[in-house]
Amino acid sequence: ERHYRRPGRPVIIEGVSTRWPALHRWTELAHLQAAAGHRPVFVRDLAAGCIDAGPYREVYRELSFGDFAQQVFSDPPPPLYLTQALIDRGNG
């Protein structure tokens, strides 16, 4: 045990989070939509951005977290990247 506490020595800890409630709730679309579905988020649309042509550009869109989650849970999920979110800041 002592040799794992020294700085610079990586450790893999397995099986610790299997009982963590969020591990299961955060994989349920209905829970995510109920908890924060109305909150605005900004996503980067990787399909609309282009790095091969002219000037580099990135395309961002604002969605509700519920709409974003719905798309992420679709098959196949669209190439969206969550960049900013004010998901849970009280009752506002």
Side-chain angles (χ1 to χ4, degrees), residues 4 9 15 18 20 38-41 50 53 69 73 85 90 92:
Y4 290 115
R9 186 172 179 116
T18 57
W20 185 36
H38 65 287
R39 302 287 183 172
V41 296
C50 181
F73 277 77

Side-chain angles (χ1 to χ4, degrees), residues 53-70:
Y56 175 78
R57 70 183 174 117
E58 296 177 347
V59 176
Y60 294 87
R61 294 189 286 139
E62 182 176 355
L63 300 171
S64 71
F65 182 74
D67 288 343
F68 171 72
Q70 178 75 44

